[in-house]
Amino acid sequence: MIISVIFLAITLALVIYIVSIYNNLVTLFNRAYNAFSQIDVQLKRRYDLIPNLVTIAQKISLTRRKYAYKSYYGKKQCFKCKF
């Protein structure tokens, strides 16, 4: 009788230990999956912002070109005039 109770207790402890290991593994898997999902979301956001960045760079380039043009021809006119 005592041996069967000890065997049952050991079996129950082993089952509880296996279930807790399984639960920890599932928790770790879910954390890793969530982390990769967050990375994927951030990469998609960055990818969606690239066209905006390109248009801003083009506008800045046009503005710089316009001011360089004005500066060049302003200096040219300045050198033409006689003091």
Side-chain angles (χ1 to χ4, degrees):
M1 178 74 177
I2 294 177
I3 295 176
S4 63
V5 172
I6 293 173
F7 179 74
L8 185 63
I10 291 173
T11 306
L12 184 62
L14 188 61
V15 167
I16 290 172
Y17 180 70
I18 291 172
V19 168
S20 68
I21 288 175
Y22 177 76
N23 285 339
N24 287 335
L25 288 174
V26 168
T27 301
L28 291 175
F29 174 78
N30 287 337
R31 285 183 188 173
Y33 184 76
N34 188 18
F36 281 112
S37 296
Q38 293 295 325
I39 291 171
D40 190 38
V41 166
Q42 291 296 325
L43 290 176
K44 284 181 183 176
R45 284 183 183 173
R46 286 185 181 184
Y47 180 77
D48 291 339
L49 290 175
I50 288 174
N52 295 338
L53 184 62
V54 169
T55 57
I56 289 171
Q58 287 174 344
K59 288 180 182 179
I60 289 173
S61 175
L62 289 174
T63 304
R64 286 186 178 179
R65 192 176 308 147
K66 180 177 71 173
Y67 285 127
Y69 178 79
K70 286 182 178 181
S71 172
Y72 174 74
Y73 284 105
K75 287 180 185 178
K76 195 173 180 181
Q77 285 180 351
C78 182
F79 288 125
K80 282 184 182 179
C81 65
K82 297 179 182 179
F83 293 105

